[in-house]
Amino acid sequence: MSRPGLDATDIRILAAVQAHGQLSKARLAEIVNLSPTPCWARLSRLKSAGLIRGYHADLALDRIVSFSQVIVTVSLSQHRKVDFDRFESHIRSLAEVTDCIATGGGMDYVLTVITPSLAAFQTLMETLLEAELGIQRYMTYIVTRQVKSTRPDLGALSRPATG
């Protein structure tokens, strides 16, 4: 379901920008089936509302550099707000951690870590443990190959749920 204040045209604009990145005024208007000036005004409003965080290239990293990708699950020993805040603040400062999600259930966090080598990953993990972030346990999963990586389908997510 879409957020209040967003109509179907806004969703089409956001989906087009998500799929194609920065577009010319004419091309975006053509994709969303709207005249250029109102389309551009809507895009400006969506940007001002903070709904577009930026534009990025989808790089074939494996064709550019050698790297190791590791998925890490982390459980903290304490579950107070201050413990979560300390851990999350530290994780935000690490360029090697490309994704971090907080989860409910057995583990508190799932991280994606990308380093130049497994040795560099091990050094990073030792640094995390020495930082006294309250890590009780962690599990590592070395990524051997990427099977799928896509962005969510905004159009499908904004449709009312059935069933």
Side-chain angles (χ1 to χ4, degrees):
M1 188 159 127
S2 64
R3 297 281 182 180
L6 296 180
D7 62 16
T9 302
D10 291 330
I11 297 297
R12 286 196 314 271
I13 290 170
L14 291 170
V17 170
Q18 181 185 36
H20 304 289
Q22 284 184 302
L23 296 163
S24 70
K25 183 189 288 191
R27 180 67 179 127
L28 180 60
E30 177 185 332
I31 290 170
V32 301
N33 196 26
L34 189 65
S35 60
T37 301
C39 182
W40 210 249
R42 281 176 177 258
L43 178 64
S44 296
R45 181 178 52 80
L46 295 168
K47 284 181 183 177
S48 294
L51 300 180
I52 299 170
R53 292 186 184 144
Y55 299 92
H56 312 280
D58 185 9
L59 302 178
L61 195 57
D62 59 328
R63 297 181 64 193
I64 300 168
V65 296
S66 293
F67 65 94
S68 293
Q69 182 175 0
V70 182
I71 305 300
V72 182
T73 58
V74 175
S75 179
L76 300 183
S77 53
Q78 299 290 320
H79 293 101
R80 300 170 302 184
K81 182 178 181 333
V82 66
D83 300 308
F84 293 125
D85 290 346
R86 180 177 52 246
F87 180 81
E88 291 171 16
S89 176
H90 191 84
I91 290 301
R92 284 187 192 98
S93 74
L94 300 174
E96 299 90 344
V97 179
T98 59
D99 288 295
C100 176
I101 58 172
T103 62
M107 291 291 172
D108 297 315
Y109 296 97
V110 178
L111 291 69
T112 301
V113 180
I114 298 180
T115 56
S117 64
L118 286 177
F121 168 76
Q122 186 57 41
T123 300
L124 175 71
M125 288 309 300
E126 289 168 4
T127 303
L128 278 174
L129 294 172
E130 290 169 357
E132 297 186 22
L133 298 172
I135 297 174
Q136 180 178 35
R137 71 177 181 274
Y138 70 94
M139 299 284 292
T140 60
Y141 304 89
I142 298 169
V143 176
T144 57
R145 66 188 168 99
Q146 188 168 40
V147 176
K148 181 180 180 181
S149 176
T150 61
R151 293 175 294 271
D153 180 346
L154 182 59
L157 289 174
S158 64
R159 286 186 213 107
T162 58

